[in-house]
Amino acid sequence: MRPCSAQMTRVFLQLHLHSQNFSITEQQHWGTTGPDGFTNVERTSDGGYLLFGNAAYLNNTLSDTLYGSMDYWVIRLDSNKNILWNKTYGGSSTETAANLLKLSNGNFLLIGNSYSPASGRKTDPGYGNIDVWVVCINEYGDQLWDKCYGTTSPDNPGSAINISENRFAMIVNTIGGATGNKTLPSKGDSDGWIIELDTLGTILNEHVIGGDSTDFLGNIQRLNNGHYLFLCNSRSGV
């Protein structure tokens, strides 16, 4: 792969807020000579951290294999921010990281997009040119399973949330109808497809939210009354 002329890294920052003044108390850098980026971080059971993002080049920080033009990249840190391991997950084309979800059983879900066929560490061939690809790993980075969710049209991930001890929900924004592993028809040009899954990635239930035009579901939050709040963009009328 052709090296990039300037190093692009992403930074872990710890900020303290005092009298509305931000001060940096600690910073760490991890990256390669290419365009990397971390999208999410979760705490691990030993007080460390799991960072999730993308990498496209190899160098001193990234010591694992690159499978395509861009892969999911996970860095495991101890409580002192020392790197314990780093691993990549991807197929022969491009994967883009979106969300990281820690399950109640201690495993982690890597959620993003995949353009790859079944290749590299991707075992699910998918349904269209862009699918949502979910990889389940444990705290040691072992890949437990991977699955695609989508239609024969482009599909993009929204947020994900735990809804019980053994179930989680994930948003997929799609222009596709009842194709792939989506069994419900569209309501408009673009809808939010909400999937309820178990911790093995099996679809338990699904819902489609949208109007007759273009709608996009972003973040999801659980309210104190047990209901859920979706932040959405909509071009639909009633």
Side-chain angles (χ1 to χ4, degrees):
M1 294 183 180
R2 182 174 58 88
C4 187
S5 59
Q7 186 175 20
M8 299 181 65
T9 63
R10 290 302 181 266
V11 184
F12 181 98
L13 294 178
Q14 181 174 325
L15 301 177
H16 285 180
L17 179 61
H18 180 70
S19 300
Q20 298 182 0
N21 292 320
F22 288 97
S23 60
I24 298 175
T25 59
E26 180 183 355
Q27 59 178 303
Q28 302 282 345
H29 296 253
W30 300 280
T32 73
T33 52
D36 331 294
F38 295 114
T39 61
N40 301 89
V41 59
E42 287 276 7
R43 298 301 297 267
T44 54
S45 61
D46 60 356
Y49 304 87
L50 201 78
L51 307 182
F52 176 48
N54 279 115
Y57 288 77
L58 290 169
N59 79 339
N60 292 336
T61 300
L62 176 55
S63 58
D64 203 3
T65 301
L66 279 174
Y67 299 96
S69 57
M70 182 172 287
D71 293 330
Y72 292 170
W73 186 25
V74 176
I75 298 180
R76 171 73 186 274
L77 309 174
D78 63 19
S79 57
N80 294 316
K81 320 297 189 311
N82 298 310
I83 295 179
L84 299 177
W85 52 259
N86 72 102
K87 295 186 179 182
T88 53
Y89 308 83
S92 58
S93 186
T94 300
E95 279 69 45
T96 55
N99 293 298
L100 174 68
L101 180 66
K102 184 176 182 180
L103 299 176
S104 55
N105 61 11
N107 294 330
F108 296 85
L109 298 181
L110 315 178
I111 303 171
N113 277 122
S114 177
Y115 295 76
S116 299
S119 53
R121 300 188 70 171
K122 185 172 185 281
T123 67
D124 192 332
Y127 304 97
N129 57 351
I130 310 172
D131 291 309
V132 173
W133 185 43
V134 178
V135 182
C136 183
I137 65 171
N138 60 22
E139 287 195 340
Y140 304 100
D142 300 320
Q143 183 170 321
L144 305 179
W145 55 262
D146 70 292
K147 292 187 178 181
C148 286
Y149 303 91
T151 68
T152 55
S153 298
D155 307 288
N156 293 286
S159 62
I161 191 171
N162 288 295
I163 57 177
S164 70
E165 184 177 353
N166 298 310
R167 301 175 75 178
F168 69 97
M170 180 175 64
I171 297 172
V172 176
N173 289 291
T174 180
I175 62 174
T179 58
N181 53 2
K182 179 176 180 280
T183 66
L184 299 178
S186 299
K187 294 181 180 294
D189 296 335
S190 174
D191 299 311
W193 178 35
I194 305 167
I195 318 171
E196 297 178 40
L197 306 106
D198 63 18
T199 54
L200 295 177
T202 304
I203 296 177
L204 304 175
N205 204 351
E206 56 181 323
H207 315 267
V208 172
I209 293 180
D212 59 5
S213 185
T214 302
D215 306 287
F216 180 88
L217 273 63
N219 196 23
I220 176 176
Q221 295 289 332
R222 184 169 185 165
L223 303 178
N224 292 333
N225 60 6
H227 295 168
Y228 293 88
L229 178 69
F230 295 90
L231 302 181
C232 314
N233 289 325
S234 177
R235 294 184 178 179
S236 297
V238 178

mmCIF file of all heavy atoms in Angstrom, residues 132-183:
data_model
loop_
_atom_site.group_PDB
_atom_site.id
_atom_site.type_symbol
_atom_site.label_atom_id
_atom_site.label_comp_id
_atom_site.label_asym_id
_atom_site.label_seq_id
_atom_site.Cartn_x
_atom_site.Cartn_y
_atom_site.Cartn_z
ATOM 1 N N VAL A 132 -24.658 -3.743 7.078
ATOM 2 C CA VAL A 132 -24.189 -3.554 8.439
ATOM 3 C C VAL A 132 -23.531 -4.858 8.872
ATOM 4 O O VAL A 132 -24.134 -5.935 8.782
ATOM 5 C CB VAL A 132 -25.347 -3.191 9.382
ATOM 6 C CG1 VAL A 132 -24.863 -3.156 10.829
ATOM 7 C CG2 VAL A 132 -25.935 -1.844 8.990
ATOM 8 N N TRP A 133 -22.276 -4.762 9.319
ATOM 9 C CA TRP A 133 -21.515 -5.952 9.720
ATOM 10 C C TRP A 133 -21.221 -5.856 11.208
ATOM 11 O O TRP A 133 -20.642 -4.866 11.664
ATOM 12 C CB TRP A 133 -20.217 -6.059 8.924
ATOM 13 C CG TRP A 133 -19.428 -7.311 9.190
ATOM 14 C CD1 TRP A 133 -19.909 -8.582 9.307
ATOM 15 C CD2 TRP A 133 -18.004 -7.419 9.361
ATOM 16 N NE1 TRP A 133 -18.885 -9.473 9.527
ATOM 17 C CE2 TRP A 133 -17.716 -8.785 9.559
ATOM 18 C CE3 TRP A 133 -16.972 -6.492 9.348
ATOM 19 C CZ2 TRP A 133 -16.414 -9.249 9.760
ATOM 20 C CZ3 TRP A 133 -15.674 -6.951 9.539
ATOM 21 C CH2 TRP A 133 -15.406 -8.310 9.745
ATOM 22 N N VAL A 134 -21.637 -6.875 11.958
ATOM 23 C CA VAL A 134 -21.445 -6.927 13.402
ATOM 24 C C VAL A 134 -20.487 -8.065 13.726
ATOM 25 O O VAL A 134 -20.689 -9.205 13.282
ATOM 26 C CB VAL A 134 -22.780 -7.130 14.137
ATOM 27 C CG1 VAL A 134 -22.550 -7.234 15.639
ATOM 28 C CG2 VAL A 134 -23.737 -5.981 13.820
ATOM 29 N N VAL A 135 -19.452 -7.752 14.493
ATOM 30 C CA VAL A 135 -18.483 -8.746 14.951
ATOM 31 C C VAL A 135 -18.543 -8.788 16.467
ATOM 32 O O VAL A 135 -18.444 -7.747 17.133
ATOM 33 C CB VAL A 135 -17.051 -8.400 14.493
ATOM 34 C CG1 VAL A 135 -16.072 -9.480 14.946
ATOM 35 C CG2 VAL A 135 -16.992 -8.221 12.986
ATOM 36 N N CYS A 136 -18.708 -9.975 17.030
ATOM 37 C CA CYS A 136 -18.716 -10.148 18.479
ATOM 38 C C CYS A 136 -17.358 -10.684 18.916
ATOM 39 O O CYS A 136 -16.884 -11.706 18.394
ATOM 40 C CB CYS A 136 -19.827 -11.109 18.899
ATOM 41 S SG CYS A 136 -19.980 -11.321 20.692
ATOM 42 N N ILE A 137 -16.722 -9.987 19.860
ATOM 43 C CA ILE A 137 -15.429 -10.416 20.391
ATOM 44 C C ILE A 137 -15.493 -10.466 21.909
ATOM 45 O O ILE A 137 -16.365 -9.848 22.533
ATOM 46 C CB ILE A 137 -14.286 -9.476 19.946
ATOM 47 C CG1 ILE A 137 -14.481 -8.071 20.532
ATOM 48 C CG2 ILE A 137 -14.174 -9.420 18.432
ATOM 49 C CD1 ILE A 137 -13.295 -7.136 20.315
ATOM 50 N N ASN A 138 -14.568 -11.198 22.524
ATOM 51 C CA ASN A 138 -14.428 -11.151 23.976
ATOM 52 C C ASN A 138 -13.344 -10.143 24.341
ATOM 53 O O ASN A 138 -12.799 -9.454 23.473
ATOM 54 C CB ASN A 138 -14.150 -12.543 24.548
ATOM 55 C CG ASN A 138 -12.872 -13.165 23.989
ATOM 56 O OD1 ASN A 138 -11.971 -12.471 23.508
ATOM 57 N ND2 ASN A 138 -12.780 -14.494 24.051
ATOM 58 N N GLU A 139 -13.016 -10.058 25.629
ATOM 59 C CA GLU A 139 -12.045 -9.063 26.083
ATOM 60 C C GLU A 139 -10.636 -9.346 25.582
ATOM 61 O O GLU A 139 -9.765 -8.481 25.698
ATOM 62 C CB GLU A 139 -12.046 -8.976 27.606
ATOM 63 C CG GLU A 139 -13.277 -8.293 28.177
ATOM 64 C CD GLU A 139 -13.094 -7.895 29.630
ATOM 65 O OE1 GLU A 139 -12.200 -8.472 30.285
ATOM 66 O OE2 GLU A 139 -13.833 -7.011 30.101
ATOM 67 N N TYR A 140 -10.397 -10.533 25.065
ATOM 68 C CA TYR A 140 -9.079 -10.880 24.534
ATOM 69 C C TYR A 140 -8.998 -10.683 23.023
ATOM 70 O O TYR A 140 -7.963 -10.969 22.418
ATOM 71 C CB TYR A 140 -8.747 -12.328 24.891
ATOM 72 C CG TYR A 140 -8.817 -12.598 26.375
ATOM 73 C CD1 TYR A 140 -9.941 -13.208 26.929
ATOM 74 C CD2 TYR A 140 -7.793 -12.217 27.237
ATOM 75 C CE1 TYR A 140 -10.029 -13.444 28.292
ATOM 76 C CE2 TYR A 140 -7.875 -12.442 28.604
ATOM 77 C CZ TYR A 140 -8.994 -13.060 29.122
ATOM 78 O OH TYR A 140 -9.083 -13.285 30.467
ATOM 79 N N GLY A 141 -10.099 -10.229 22.438
ATOM 80 C CA GLY A 141 -10.114 -9.983 21.006
ATOM 81 C C GLY A 141 -10.447 -11.193 20.163
ATOM 82 O O GLY A 141 -10.373 -11.125 18.923
ATOM 83 N N ASP A 142 -10.795 -12.317 20.795
ATOM 84 C CA ASP A 142 -11.177 -13.502 20.037
ATOM 85 C C ASP A 142 -12.520 -13.254 19.342
ATOM 86 O O ASP A 142 -13.481 -12.808 19.975
ATOM 87 C CB ASP A 142 -11.304 -14.717 20.954
ATOM 88 C CG ASP A 142 -10.010 -15.048 21.672
ATOM 89 O OD1 ASP A 142 -8.949 -14.940 21.036
ATOM 90 O OD2 ASP A 142 -10.057 -15.398 22.870
ATOM 91 N N GLN A 143 -12.592 -13.540 18.051
ATOM 92 C CA GLN A 143 -13.828 -13.365 17.300
ATOM 93 C C GLN A 143 -14.750 -14.539 17.584
ATOM 94 O O GLN A 143 -14.434 -15.677 17.271
ATOM 95 C CB GLN A 143 -13.521 -13.257 15.801
ATOM 96 C CG GLN A 143 -14.754 -12.994 14.946
ATOM 97 C CD GLN A 143 -14.403 -12.654 13.509
ATOM 98 O OE1 GLN A 143 -13.434 -11.937 13.251
ATOM 99 N NE2 GLN A 143 -15.192 -13.150 12.574
ATOM 100 N N LEU A 144 -15.924 -14.239 18.169
ATOM 101 C CA LEU A 144 -16.875 -15.275 18.553
ATOM 102 C C LEU A 144 -17.875 -15.547 17.439
ATOM 103 O O LEU A 144 -18.247 -16.691 17.214
ATOM 104 C CB LEU A 144 -17.600 -14.869 19.834
ATOM 105 C CG LEU A 144 -16.691 -14.518 21.019
ATOM 106 C CD1 LEU A 144 -17.525 -14.107 22.225
ATOM 107 C CD2 LEU A 144 -15.778 -15.692 21.367
ATOM 108 N N TRP A 145 -18.332 -14.504 16.775
ATOM 109 C CA TRP A 145 -19.204 -14.643 15.610
ATOM 110 C C TRP A 145 -19.232 -13.331 14.844
ATOM 111 O O TRP A 145 -18.856 -12.290 15.385
ATOM 112 C CB TRP A 145 -20.622 -15.096 15.990
ATOM 113 C CG TRP A 145 -21.366 -14.270 17.010
ATOM 114 C CD1 TRP A 145 -21.478 -14.531 18.349
ATOM 115 C CD2 TRP A 145 -22.116 -13.063 16.781
ATOM 116 N NE1 TRP A 145 -22.233 -13.563 18.963
ATOM 117 C CE2 TRP A 145 -22.651 -12.654 18.029
ATOM 118 C CE3 TRP A 145 -22.399 -12.301 15.647
ATOM 119 C CZ2 TRP A 145 -23.440 -11.515 18.168
ATOM 120 C CZ3 TRP A 145 -23.172 -11.151 15.782
ATOM 121 C CH2 TRP A 145 -23.691 -10.777 17.028
ATOM 122 N N ASP A 146 -19.674 -13.407 13.597
ATOM 123 C CA ASP A 146 -19.894 -12.196 12.811
ATOM 124 C C ASP A 146 -21.096 -12.429 11.913
ATOM 125 O O ASP A 146 -21.308 -13.531 11.401
ATOM 126 C CB ASP A 146 -18.653 -11.829 11.994
ATOM 127 C CG ASP A 146 -18.381 -12.783 10.848
ATOM 128 O OD1 ASP A 146 -18.040 -13.957 11.108
ATOM 129 O OD2 ASP A 146 -18.508 -12.363 9.685
ATOM 130 N N LYS A 147 -21.897 -11.377 11.748
ATOM 131 C CA LYS A 147 -23.107 -11.481 10.931
ATOM 132 C C LYS A 147 -23.380 -10.161 10.227
ATOM 133 O O LYS A 147 -23.043 -9.084 10.738
ATOM 134 C CB LYS A 147 -24.317 -11.868 11.790
ATOM 135 C CG LYS A 147 -24.239 -13.279 12.350
ATOM 136 C CD LYS A 147 -25.531 -13.679 13.049
ATOM 137 C CE LYS A 147 -25.442 -15.110 13.553
ATOM 138 N NZ LYS A 147 -26.696 -15.550 14.233
ATOM 139 N N CYS A 148 -24.007 -10.283 9.059
ATOM 140 C CA CYS A 148 -24.446 -9.114 8.306
ATOM 141 C C CYS A 148 -25.948 -8.917 8.482
ATOM 142 O O CYS A 148 -26.704 -9.890 8.627
ATOM 143 C CB CYS A 148 -24.136 -9.280 6.828
ATOM 144 S SG CYS A 148 -22.400 -9.091 6.404
ATOM 145 N N TYR A 149 -26.352 -7.656 8.450
ATOM 146 C CA TYR A 149 -27.762 -7.293 8.523
ATOM 147 C C TYR A 149 -28.015 -6.272 7.429
ATOM 148 O O TYR A 149 -27.347 -5.235 7.370
ATOM 149 C CB TYR A 149 -28.102 -6.722 9.900
ATOM 150 C CG TYR A 149 -27.770 -7.676 11.022
ATOM 151 C CD1 TYR A 149 -26.514 -7.638 11.631
ATOM 152 C CD2 TYR A 149 -28.688 -8.634 11.446
ATOM 153 C CE1 TYR A 149 -26.191 -8.528 12.647
ATOM 154 C CE2 TYR A 149 -28.377 -9.525 12.456
ATOM 155 C CZ TYR A 149 -27.120 -9.467 13.043
ATOM 156 O OH TYR A 149 -26.798 -10.364 14.034
ATOM 157 N N GLY A 150 -28.973 -6.588 6.556
ATOM 158 C CA GLY A 150 -29.229 -5.640 5.495
ATOM 159 C C GLY A 150 -30.134 -6.182 4.416
ATOM 160 O O GLY A 150 -30.682 -7.289 4.512
ATOM 161 N N THR A 151 -30.276 -5.375 3.393
ATOM 162 C CA THR A 151 -31.115 -5.673 2.244
ATOM 163 C C THR A 151 -30.223 -5.727 1.006
ATOM 164 O O THR A 151 -28.997 -5.642 1.103
ATOM 165 C CB THR A 151 -32.189 -4.595 2.073
ATOM 166 O OG1 THR A 151 -31.567 -3.358 1.679
ATOM 167 C CG2 THR A 151 -32.955 -4.360 3.372
ATOM 168 N N THR A 152 -30.845 -5.824 -0.159
ATOM 169 C CA THR A 152 -30.071 -5.771 -1.397
ATOM 170 C C THR A 152 -29.701 -4.346 -1.785
ATOM 171 O O THR A 152 -29.013 -4.138 -2.781
ATOM 172 C CB THR A 152 -30.861 -6.433 -2.540
ATOM 173 O OG1 THR A 152 -32.150 -5.821 -2.643
ATOM 174 C CG2 THR A 152 -31.040 -7.926 -2.278
ATOM 175 N N SER A 153 -30.164 -3.366 -1.014
ATOM 176 C CA SER A 153 -29.802 -1.954 -1.201
ATOM 177 C C SER A 153 -28.803 -1.548 -0.124
ATOM 178 O O SER A 153 -28.566 -2.286 0.832
ATOM 179 C CB SER A 153 -31.053 -1.080 -1.130
ATOM 180 O OG SER A 153 -31.966 -1.406 -2.158
ATOM 181 N N PRO A 154 -28.200 -0.360 -0.229
ATOM 182 C CA PRO A 154 -27.253 0.078 0.796
ATOM 183 C C PRO A 154 -27.920 0.232 2.166
ATOM 184 O O PRO A 154 -29.019 0.770 2.278
ATOM 185 C CB PRO A 154 -26.759 1.430 0.264
ATOM 186 C CG PRO A 154 -26.966 1.362 -1.207
ATOM 187 C CD PRO A 154 -28.210 0.556 -1.394
ATOM 188 N N ASP A 155 -27.235 -0.250 3.197
ATOM 189 C CA ASP A 155 -27.727 -0.184 4.575
ATOM 190 C C ASP A 155 -26.631 0.392 5.459
ATOM 191 O O ASP A 155 -25.446 0.070 5.285
ATOM 192 C CB ASP A 155 -28.113 -1.579 5.071
ATOM 193 C CG ASP A 155 -29.084 -2.277 4.132
ATOM 194 O OD1 ASP A 155 -30.248 -1.870 4.101
ATOM 195 O OD2 ASP A 155 -28.664 -3.210 3.429
ATOM 196 N N ASN A 156 -27.026 1.233 6.418
ATOM 197 C CA ASN A 156 -26.063 1.914 7.266
ATOM 198 C C ASN A 156 -26.450 1.795 8.731
ATOM 199 O O ASN A 156 -27.632 1.865 9.075
ATOM 200 C CB ASN A 156 -25.974 3.392 6.879
ATOM 201 C CG ASN A 156 -25.376 3.586 5.507
ATOM 202 O OD1 ASN A 156 -24.181 3.427 5.315
ATOM 203 N ND2 ASN A 156 -26.216 3.912 4.534
ATOM 204 N N PRO A 157 -25.461 1.644 9.625
ATOM 205 C CA PRO A 157 -25.761 1.450 11.047
ATOM 206 C C PRO A 157 -26.085 2.751 11.759
ATOM 207 O O PRO A 157 -25.491 3.795 11.502
ATOM 208 C CB PRO A 157 -24.466 0.842 11.589
ATOM 209 C CG PRO A 157 -23.399 1.423 10.710
ATOM 210 C CD PRO A 157 -24.019 1.550 9.346
ATOM 211 N N GLY A 158 -27.064 2.661 12.664
ATOM 212 C CA GLY A 158 -27.295 3.716 13.638
ATOM 213 C C GLY A 158 -26.709 3.268 14.963
ATOM 214 O O GLY A 158 -25.708 2.554 15.007
ATOM 215 N N SER A 159 -27.327 3.625 16.057
ATOM 216 C CA SER A 159 -26.809 3.257 17.362
ATOM 217 C C SER A 159 -27.356 1.907 17.800
ATOM 218 O O SER A 159 -28.239 1.328 17.163
ATOM 219 C CB SER A 159 -27.149 4.335 18.387
ATOM 220 O OG SER A 159 -28.551 4.462 18.523
ATOM 221 N N ALA A 160 -26.820 1.393 18.895
ATOM 222 C CA ALA A 160 -27.262 0.128 19.472
ATOM 223 C C ALA A 160 -27.336 0.288 20.988
ATOM 224 O O ALA A 160 -26.631 1.113 21.572
ATOM 225 C CB ALA A 160 -26.310 -1.000 19.098
ATOM 226 N N ILE A 161 -28.172 -0.529 21.613
ATOM 227 C CA ILE A 161 -28.399 -0.391 23.045
ATOM 228 C C ILE A 161 -28.810 -1.730 23.633
ATOM 229 O O ILE A 161 -29.477 -2.534 22.966
ATOM 230 C CB ILE A 161 -29.494 0.680 23.320
ATOM 231 C CG1 ILE A 161 -29.560 1.050 24.794
ATOM 232 C CG2 ILE A 161 -30.848 0.228 22.803
ATOM 233 C CD1 ILE A 161 -30.459 2.243 25.088
ATOM 234 N N ASN A 162 -28.367 -2.004 24.854
ATOM 235 C CA ASN A 162 -28.836 -3.184 25.577
ATOM 236 C C ASN A 162 -30.259 -2.934 26.057
ATOM 237 O O ASN A 162 -30.554 -1.884 26.631
ATOM 238 C CB ASN A 162 -27.929 -3.482 26.768
ATOM 239 C CG ASN A 162 -26.584 -4.036 26.370
ATOM 240 O OD1 ASN A 162 -26.492 -5.132 25.821
ATOM 241 N ND2 ASN A 162 -25.517 -3.285 26.629
ATOM 242 N N ILE A 163 -31.146 -3.901 25.836
ATOM 243 C CA ILE A 163 -32.524 -3.744 26.293
ATOM 244 C C ILE A 163 -32.885 -4.751 27.382
ATOM 245 O O ILE A 163 -33.909 -4.604 28.048
ATOM 246 C CB ILE A 163 -33.532 -3.835 25.131
ATOM 247 C CG1 ILE A 163 -33.395 -5.149 24.370
ATOM 248 C CG2 ILE A 163 -33.340 -2.663 24.184
ATOM 249 C CD1 ILE A 163 -34.423 -5.305 23.255
ATOM 250 N N SER A 164 -32.082 -5.773 27.584
ATOM 251 C CA SER A 164 -32.239 -6.710 28.697
ATOM 252 C C SER A 164 -30.915 -7.450 28.833
ATOM 253 O O SER A 164 -29.957 -7.191 28.106
ATOM 254 C CB SER A 164 -33.397 -7.685 28.459
ATOM 255 O OG SER A 164 -33.089 -8.607 27.434
ATOM 256 N N GLU A 165 -30.859 -8.401 29.748
ATOM 257 C CA GLU A 165 -29.609 -9.120 29.986
ATOM 258 C C GLU A 165 -29.159 -9.901 28.756
ATOM 259 O O GLU A 165 -27.959 -10.041 28.508
ATOM 260 C CB GLU A 165 -29.779 -10.067 31.167
ATOM 261 C CG GLU A 165 -28.504 -10.798 31.554
ATOM 262 C CD GLU A 165 -28.681 -11.682 32.778
ATOM 263 O OE1 GLU A 165 -29.768 -11.621 33.399
ATOM 264 O OE2 GLU A 165 -27.736 -12.430 33.099
ATOM 265 N N ASN A 166 -30.096 -10.405 27.987
ATOM 266 C CA ASN A 166 -29.753 -11.265 26.857
ATOM 267 C C ASN A 166 -30.237 -10.724 25.514
ATOM 268 O O ASN A 166 -30.293 -11.472 24.542
ATOM 269 C CB ASN A 166 -30.343 -12.664 27.073
ATOM 270 C CG ASN A 166 -29.773 -13.340 28.301
ATOM 271 O OD1 ASN A 166 -28.560 -13.396 28.479
ATOM 272 N ND2 ASN A 166 -30.645 -13.820 29.163
ATOM 273 N N ARG A 167 -30.582 -9.443 25.456
ATOM 274 C CA ARG A 167 -31.093 -8.881 24.222
ATOM 275 C C ARG A 167 -30.539 -7.472 24.024
ATOM 276 O O ARG A 167 -30.325 -6.733 24.983
ATOM 277 C CB ARG A 167 -32.625 -8.824 24.225
ATOM 278 C CG ARG A 167 -33.292 -10.160 24.397
ATOM 279 C CD ARG A 167 -34.796 -10.030 24.512
ATOM 280 N NE ARG A 167 -35.426 -9.739 23.230
ATOM 281 C CZ ARG A 167 -36.737 -9.623 23.069
ATOM 282 N NH1 ARG A 167 -37.552 -9.753 24.111
ATOM 283 N NH2 ARG A 167 -37.246 -9.381 21.868
ATOM 284 N N PHE A 168 -30.350 -7.126 22.774
ATOM 285 C CA PHE A 168 -29.967 -5.757 22.444
ATOM 286 C C PHE A 168 -30.715 -5.341 21.190
ATOM 287 O O PHE A 168 -31.263 -6.173 20.451
ATOM 288 C CB PHE A 168 -28.452 -5.615 22.266
ATOM 289 C CG PHE A 168 -27.875 -6.283 21.053
ATOM 290 C CD1 PHE A 168 -27.641 -5.566 19.886
ATOM 291 C CD2 PHE A 168 -27.547 -7.623 21.064
ATOM 292 C CE1 PHE A 168 -27.111 -6.173 18.767
ATOM 293 C CE2 PHE A 168 -27.001 -8.248 19.948
ATOM 294 C CZ PHE A 168 -26.788 -7.519 18.796
ATOM 295 N N ALA A 169 -30.788 -4.045 20.968
ATOM 296 C CA ALA A 169 -31.461 -3.492 19.797
ATOM 297 C C ALA A 169 -30.463 -2.672 18.995
ATOM 298 O O ALA A 169 -29.583 -2.012 19.554
ATOM 299 C CB ALA A 169 -32.647 -2.633 20.201
ATOM 300 N N MET A 170 -30.612 -2.716 17.683
ATOM 301 C CA MET A 170 -29.714 -2.008 16.779
ATOM 302 C C MET A 170 -30.534 -1.330 15.685
ATOM 303 O O MET A 170 -31.504 -1.902 15.181
ATOM 304 C CB MET A 170 -28.723 -2.990 16.150
ATOM 305 C CG MET A 170 -27.735 -2.368 15.177
ATOM 306 S SD MET A 170 -26.510 -3.572 14.581
ATOM 307 C CE MET A 170 -27.563 -4.720 13.687
ATOM 308 N N ILE A 171 -30.157 -0.111 15.350
ATOM 309 C CA ILE A 171 -30.804 0.626 14.275
ATOM 310 C C ILE A 171 -30.029 0.423 12.978
ATOM 311 O O ILE A 171 -28.803 0.536 12.951
ATOM 312 C CB ILE A 171 -30.869 2.126 14.590
ATOM 313 C CG1 ILE A 171 -31.729 2.387 15.830
ATOM 314 C CG2 ILE A 171 -31.423 2.906 13.403
ATOM 315 C CD1 ILE A 171 -31.670 3.825 16.294
ATOM 316 N N VAL A 172 -30.745 0.114 11.912
ATOM 317 C CA VAL A 172 -30.179 0.091 10.571
ATOM 318 C C VAL A 172 -30.983 1.068 9.726
ATOM 319 O O VAL A 172 -32.211 0.975 9.666
ATOM 320 C CB VAL A 172 -30.233 -1.316 9.945
ATOM 321 C CG1 VAL A 172 -29.725 -1.284 8.513
ATOM 322 C CG2 VAL A 172 -29.437 -2.307 10.774
ATOM 323 N N ASN A 173 -30.330 2.025 9.114
ATOM 324 C CA ASN A 173 -30.998 2.948 8.203
ATOM 325 C C ASN A 173 -30.876 2.405 6.793
ATOM 326 O O ASN A 173 -29.776 2.118 6.314
ATOM 327 C CB ASN A 173 -30.373 4.340 8.313
ATOM 328 C CG ASN A 173 -30.725 5.001 9.630
ATOM 329 O OD1 ASN A 173 -31.878 5.359 9.866
ATOM 330 N ND2 ASN A 173 -29.741 5.158 10.510
ATOM 331 N N THR A 174 -32.017 2.235 6.130
ATOM 332 C CA THR A 174 -32.012 1.516 4.864
ATOM 333 C C THR A 174 -33.013 2.103 3.875
ATOM 334 O O THR A 174 -34.045 2.653 4.269
ATOM 335 C CB THR A 174 -32.330 0.023 5.091
ATOM 336 O OG1 THR A 174 -32.318 -0.675 3.847
ATOM 337 C CG2 THR A 174 -33.686 -0.162 5.757
ATOM 338 N N ILE A 175 -32.691 1.959 2.587
ATOM 339 C CA ILE A 175 -33.634 2.277 1.528
ATOM 340 C C ILE A 175 -34.226 0.992 0.952
ATOM 341 O O ILE A 175 -35.015 1.026 0.012
ATOM 342 C CB ILE A 175 -32.968 3.102 0.403
ATOM 343 C CG1 ILE A 175 -31.831 2.327 -0.261
ATOM 344 C CG2 ILE A 175 -32.466 4.433 0.948
ATOM 345 C CD1 ILE A 175 -31.227 3.030 -1.461
ATOM 346 N N GLY A 176 -33.847 -0.147 1.511
ATOM 347 C CA GLY A 176 -34.284 -1.429 0.990
ATOM 348 C C GLY A 176 -35.631 -1.865 1.548
ATOM 349 O O GLY A 176 -36.036 -1.478 2.642
ATOM 350 N N GLY A 177 -36.310 -2.690 0.791
ATOM 351 C CA GLY A 177 -37.573 -3.267 1.222
ATOM 352 C C GLY A 177 -37.357 -4.595 1.907
ATOM 353 O O GLY A 177 -36.344 -4.821 2.575
ATOM 354 N N ALA A 178 -38.322 -5.508 1.742
ATOM 355 C CA ALA A 178 -38.260 -6.817 2.383
ATOM 356 C C ALA A 178 -37.346 -7.726 1.563
ATOM 357 O O ALA A 178 -37.802 -8.589 0.807
ATOM 358 C CB ALA A 178 -39.652 -7.406 2.511
ATOM 359 N N THR A 179 -36.059 -7.521 1.711
ATOM 360 C CA THR A 179 -35.043 -8.345 1.057
ATOM 361 C C THR A 179 -33.945 -8.629 2.064
ATOM 362 O O THR A 179 -33.913 -8.047 3.149
ATOM 363 C CB THR A 179 -34.447 -7.636 -0.175
ATOM 364 O OG1 THR A 179 -33.887 -6.371 0.237
ATOM 365 C CG2 THR A 179 -35.507 -7.401 -1.232
ATOM 366 N N GLY A 180 -32.992 -9.499 1.702
ATOM 367 C CA GLY A 180 -31.940 -9.845 2.643
ATOM 368 C C GLY A 180 -32.536 -10.521 3.862
ATOM 369 O O GLY A 180 -33.374 -11.415 3.760
ATOM 370 N N ASN A 181 -32.127 -10.065 5.057
ATOM 371 C CA ASN A 181 -32.754 -10.595 6.269
ATOM 372 C C ASN A 181 -33.732 -9.602 6.901
ATOM 373 O O ASN A 181 -34.082 -9.706 8.074
ATOM 374 C CB ASN A 181 -31.720 -11.083 7.292
ATOM 375 C CG ASN A 181 -30.673 -10.040 7.638
ATOM 376 O OD1 ASN A 181 -30.706 -8.913 7.158
ATOM 377 N ND2 ASN A 181 -29.709 -10.424 8.457
ATOM 378 N N LYS A 182 -34.196 -8.644 6.103
ATOM 379 C CA LYS A 182 -35.273 -7.736 6.504
ATOM 380 C C LYS A 182 -36.577 -8.263 5.902
ATOM 381 O O LYS A 182 -36.716 -8.359 4.684
ATOM 382 C CB LYS A 182 -34.984 -6.323 6.007
ATOM 383 C CG LYS A 182 -36.049 -5.287 6.329
ATOM 384 C CD LYS A 182 -35.574 -3.907 5.863
ATOM 385 C CE LYS A 182 -36.598 -2.814 6.157
ATOM 386 N NZ LYS A 182 -37.675 -2.798 5.145
ATOM 387 N N THR A 183 -37.536 -8.591 6.755
ATOM 388 C CA THR A 183 -38.786 -9.191 6.269
ATOM 389 C C THR A 183 -39.929 -8.199 6.195
ATOM 390 O O THR A 183 -41.001 -8.540 5.684
ATOM 391 C CB THR A 183 -39.202 -10.359 7.182
ATOM 392 O OG1 THR A 183 -39.539 -9.859 8.488
ATOM 393 C CG2 THR A 183 -38.080 -11.386 7.313
#
